[in-house]
Amino acid sequence: MPNQFALDVTKIRDDARRRMQEGPVTATYGGDTNPVLDILNQVVATEIVCYLRYIQNSIAAAGIDRAQVAAEFKEHAAEELQHGLRAAERINQLGGVPDFDPGTLARRAHTEYSAPAATDLDTMLRENLVAERIVISSYQEIIRWLGDSDPTTRRLMEDILEEEEEHANDLTDLLGVQG
């Protein structure tokens, strides 16, 4: 039978014992962890910046639909924070150190943080939708870049991407934007 599956369990066992200090990063890891760690720290920064923007917007929002939109912003903020923490946990698993340095967060983030001059909901919704669209495109590119080299990080990014797409859909619904 062509392309038959073969596994050298003895070699895997020996390697697992010899390189225990590397934790979950085994010899079968598909690439170099350093660029993955860098990308994941960019994800952490992006998610923290998004969290901060959503929280600020939830507090500063004004207008007749404030309660509904502020509640949505708070929900999105909580999810963005969880995304950042999940990426930070993955960095730790890969032997890196998550970077939460407030002095460099904005520089490393894919989205921008700008507190709106206006408190109107339409402006906030539009700016958050733009940010979600940036994140969606960035994360799709990261997933393609990871390919099969790191299936765990790829699945993490796919899970986060799915929630980011839900955020964009929620914002689109709130804006009443037609596709």
Side-chain angles (χ1 to χ4, degrees), residues 80-115:
E80 302 293 2
L81 181 58
Q82 285 306 306
H83 297 164
L85 294 174
R86 290 174 65 197
E89 285 291 338
R90 184 62 182 153
I91 290 167
N92 186 62
Q93 289 172 352
L94 293 173
V97 177
D99 186 351
F100 287 95
D101 181 354
T104 63
L105 279 175
R107 199 168 46 248
R108 291 181 288 116
H110 296 184
T111 59
E112 298 170 321
Y113 177 88
S114 56

Side-chain angles (χ1 to χ4, degrees), residues 14-55:
D14 291 344
D15 185 63
R17 284 186 176 85
R18 200 172 45 255
R19 298 170 65 179
M20 286 191 310
Q21 74 282 2
E22 295 177 30
V25 180
T26 65
T28 56
Y29 183 83
D32 180 4
T33 58
N34 289 323
V36 175
L37 294 170
D38 181 54
I39 292 292
L40 285 171
N41 267 313
Q42 291 175 34
V43 170
V44 167
T46 300
E47 295 297 332
I48 297 302
V49 166
C50 288
Y51 162 78
L52 293 170
R53 187 182 52 259
Y54 273 124
I55 277 298

Side-chain angles (χ1 to χ4, degrees), residues 108-130:
R108 291 181 288 116
H110 296 184
T111 59
E112 298 170 321
Y113 177 88
S114 56
T119 58
D120 72 286
L121 300 178
D122 188 69
T123 300
M124 290 177 176
L125 288 165
R126 288 182 186 285
E127 288 303 311
N128 280 301
L129 180 55
V130 167

